[in-house]
Amino acid sequence: MRQYIFFFIILIGYILPAKATGSTDKDKKTTFHITVLNTEGNPQTGMIMKIGTYSTEYVSDEEGLIEFKHEINEKNIRTANFYFPSDKKKIVRTLRLDEAATDTILRIDSQNDLIRYKQSGKTFPVSGIIKNGGMPVRNAEIIIQGTGRNTFSDAQGRFTIEADYNHTIMVRAEKMENLYIDVDKFLQNPDIPYPVHMTRKGFDRIYTSVEQMPEYPGGMKAFFNYVRRKARTSERAAETGKEGTVMIQFVVEKDGSVTSPHIVRGFDAELDTVAFDAIVTMRDWIPAKDHGIVVRCKYSVPVSFKLPKPKNPEKEPTPALAKNDSLRTDSLMTGPAARDSLKLTPIPQSRDSLVLHKDSIHITPQTTDSLSTSLKADSLTIGKADTLRTDSLSQPVQAQATEVKPKKRNVFIRFFRWLFGIKDKDKKETKEAGQPETVAIRQENSPGNKASE
């Protein structure tokens, strides 16, 4: 029983802190009230808002109000994107969800609103405050180009003027760089004066091209590695099934910090936000230099989302060919055609065929009788009609007969044979010059010749 009580106490001690933590997390969420109106002050109903990479959509009501709760994290500030209901892919306005945006009025004009304003030529009162390095700029001239309307800023740098959509607002002051601003910048938050930051000529000017452009520590290769790691570009592209490039522009200050980031060209709301968040949280850059002087410089970088390349399929191993495979068997090595045409198939010999050996033609007087006797018993009889046997016997015997000529004796041997009167026994010449030697032998050893002897 004590064991169960002890276990129950431990379980309660584990659950209560978890609930307390959950309640504190909920308490951290802040309620946002964002009202979307057009320039004339009419509510923009049906406007769609999405926070960062979250899939939840918030829609403005009949009064143009969007109300939601979101946690404010100073280390990772989220961005809210606004879309017209007719085009959910094109971002028309972005808003950072910090403490200043908890109660905001946005002026967003549709394409039809802009056409109506330009055609009517209607003017709107716009107000702003001009500063340089945190200090107000007095007597700065504000001009509506092409209309002749102008005004000057007061001692606090504030001004108000009637503007329209057909003309640009120009701000100029002594020893300051001229600024050109569109009217919609002033109308985004009409209740708050639009802050206009001016820079001194050649001092705080923002350059676009200098001798030494800003550089990310480690070079652009290190920058792209950071973007791939921070934004997880390949994983995001695989999850959404989309690929493209987001162009983001920002200003590299003299101390290397990155300010005023904004999307110049995007292609997907979710991926645009991911790329934007990666740029906002990146480390400081190496500032730009012009003629050896550190200056502010505007810089643009691409953030590419590419689908991972498919892996090459592994090649299947080639199956081993069988022994009887026609691809491995050389057609020249087998079959009837493989036999050498010069190696004729041997003709079977008959019993009566004459097989002559090397020494069978050595004819001497001692072997004449035996040879004639064997030839009598031989079935080979040369007839007039038997041309095959005549031809086959005549040529080989003549060829063999030429091989049995007596060798020429040494000079000394001939001398001694001459001295003692020893003579060689001459061979009897054949009676007919054209007949083979064997035929002459057979005729010499015939019974008729023996009788005459």
Side-chain angles (χ1 to χ4, degrees), residues 20-83:
T21 304
S23 62
T24 55
D25 291 341
K26 292 182 179 178
D27 294 340
K28 288 183 179 179
K29 290 188 176 181
T30 305
T31 302
F32 287 81
H33 300 274
I34 299 176
T35 304
V36 185
L37 307 175
N38 62 8
T39 302
E40 294 178 334
N42 299 322
Q44 290 282 20
T45 61
M47 289 296 296
I48 299 173
M49 188 197 77
K50 294 177 66 176
I51 301 174
T53 58
Y54 296 104
S55 59
T56 305
E57 295 183 356
Y58 301 92
V59 182
S60 61
D61 57 14
E62 295 179 354
E63 297 179 357
L65 177 63
I66 300 175
E67 186 176 357
F68 61 96
K69 290 185 177 182
H70 183 71
E71 180 183 355
I72 298 176
N73 188 349
E74 295 180 357
K75 295 182 180 179
N76 188 12
I77 298 176
R78 295 289 181 179
T79 304
N81 302 318
F82 294 86
Y83 312 83

Side-chain angles (χ1 to χ4, degrees), residues 124-130 142 144 151-154 156-164 169 171 181-196:
F124 308 95
V126 296
S127 61
I129 180 171
I130 304 174
I142 299 93
I144 308 298
T151 187
F152 293 90
S153 61
D154 58 15
Q156 287 77 31
R158 295 177 179 273
F159 69 92
T160 301
I161 192 173
E162 291 287 327
D164 59 78
I169 300 174
V171 181
I181 309 172
D182 293 330
V183 67
D184 60 344
K185 300 290 185 182
F186 294 88
L187 298 175
Q188 290 180 7
N189 297 295
D191 299 335
I192 302 174
Y194 180 73
V196 179

Side-chain angles (χ1 to χ4, degrees), residues 322-366:
K323 293 183 179 179
N324 297 329
D325 197 328
S326 60
L327 295 177
R328 295 190 60 178
T329 306
D330 192 349
S331 60
L332 298 177
M333 297 298 294
T334 59
R339 298 174 183 171
D340 194 345
S341 60
L342 298 177
K343 296 179 181 179
L344 301 177
T345 304
I347 301 173
Q349 299 178 355
S350 61
R351 287 190 298 177
D352 297 334
S353 62
L354 177 62
V355 180
L356 300 176
H357 299 282
K358 268 189 172 183
D359 299 334
S360 61
I361 311 299
H362 289 278
I363 303 172
T364 59
Q366 292 82 1

Side-chain angles (χ1 to χ4, degrees), residues 143-308:
I143 302 171
I144 308 298
Q145 289 186 316
T147 63
R149 297 192 300 269
N150 69 324
T151 187
F152 293 90
S153 61
D154 58 15
Q156 287 77 31
R158 295 177 179 273
F159 69 92
T160 301
I161 192 173
E162 291 287 327
D164 59 78
Y165 274 95
N166 295 318
H167 302 91
T168 305
I169 300 174
M170 184 180 73
V171 181
R172 66 184 182 182
E174 187 178 359
K175 297 182 181 180
M176 300 289 177
E177 296 283 351
N178 295 340
L179 295 179
Y180 300 89
I181 309 172
D182 293 330
V183 67
D184 60 344
K185 300 290 185 182
F186 294 88
L187 298 175
Q188 290 180 7
N189 297 295
D191 299 335
I192 302 174
Y194 180 73
V196 179
H197 298 280
M198 300 193 75
T199 58
R200 291 185 177 274
K201 290 183 178 180
F203 181 74
D204 286 335
R205 173 186 172 185
I206 299 177
Y207 292 82
T208 56
S209 178
V210 293
E211 289 182 347
Q212 182 178 340
M213 295 296 290
E215 184 179 355
Y216 187 83
M220 292 307 295
K221 183 177 180 180
F223 168 77
F224 289 124
N225 290 335
Y226 160 77
V227 170
R228 282 193 293 267
R229 183 177 65 255
K230 181 69 176 179
R232 298 190 299 115
T233 54
S234 299
E235 292 83 348
R236 295 285 186 180
E239 292 173 2
T240 59
K242 301 175 183 178
E243 61 179 1
T245 302
V246 183
M247 291 297 299
I248 300 178
Q249 191 177 78
F250 50 86
V251 176
V252 179
E253 301 292 343
K254 293 182 179 181
D255 59 355
S257 60
V258 176
T259 61
S260 305
H262 63 281
I263 298 174
V264 178
R265 185 182 73 243
F267 74 98
D268 180 76
E270 181 178 349
L271 299 181
D272 292 349
T273 303
V274 172
F276 185 83
D277 292 341
I279 297 300
V280 170
T281 57
M282 68 181 173
R283 60 187 297 188
D284 293 345
W285 284 49
I286 299 173
K289 288 184 179 181
D290 191 58
H291 299 286
I293 301 174
V294 178
V295 296
R296 305 169 70 199
C297 186
K298 188 179 293 183
Y299 201 79
S300 299
V301 293
V303 179
S304 299
F305 295 86
K306 294 183 179 180
L307 295 171

Side-chain angles (χ1 to χ4, degrees), residues 93-136:
R93 185 67 54 83
T94 59
L95 177 67
R96 292 173 62 85
L97 299 178
D98 51 14
E99 293 182 358
T102 55
D103 193 359
T104 307
I105 298 176
L106 297 179
R107 301 281 180 167
I108 302 176
D109 295 314
S110 64
Q111 192 66 26
N112 294 331
D113 293 334
L114 295 176
I115 294 173
R116 187 172 68 254
Y117 298 153
K118 291 181 179 180
Q119 290 177 351
S120 64
K122 186 178 180 179
T123 61
F124 308 95
V126 296
S127 61
I129 180 171
I130 304 174
K131 292 184 178 182
N132 170 244
M135 300 298 294

